[in-house]
Amino acid sequence: MLRRAHELCPNEAIYAYSYLGSFSNAYGTRENELQQVQNVLEDRFKGEGLLSDYFKSIYAQ
């Protein structure tokens, strides 16, 4: 599912980070993707609910 989401939307930062996160970090690509996720994190998960808190905690490292 992660691969398919990344293939369908390759410029989507959260999909890319999640997909690349399923592999070892041999080439250092996850740091770049994590920075992209940080750029969209607050905008994407604006709510104060439990689901927003969950996703913010996953991607805020």
Side-chain angles (χ1 to χ4, degrees):
M1 293 297 287
L2 290 173
R3 184 187 81 198
R4 185 73 176 133
H6 180 59
E7 289 172 351
L8 290 173
C9 302
N11 295 324
E12 172 57 50
I14 293 176
Y15 295 168
Y17 180 75
S18 298
Y19 175 62
L20 294 173
S22 66
F23 300 105
S24 67
N25 193 16
Y27 300 105
T29 57
R30 288 192 339 209
E31 287 82 12
N32 182 42
E33 298 304 326
L34 180 58
Q35 181 59 45
Q36 297 300 317
V37 167
Q38 296 299 319
N39 292 338
V40 299
L41 189 61
E42 286 300 319
D43 185 53
R44 185 71 50 88
F45 302 106
K46 294 178 185 177
E48 298 296 323
L50 199 56
L51 193 58
S52 289
D53 289 344
Y54 170 75
F55 282 106
K56 286 177 187 177
S57 70
I58 288 175
Y59 295 115
Q61 294 183 8

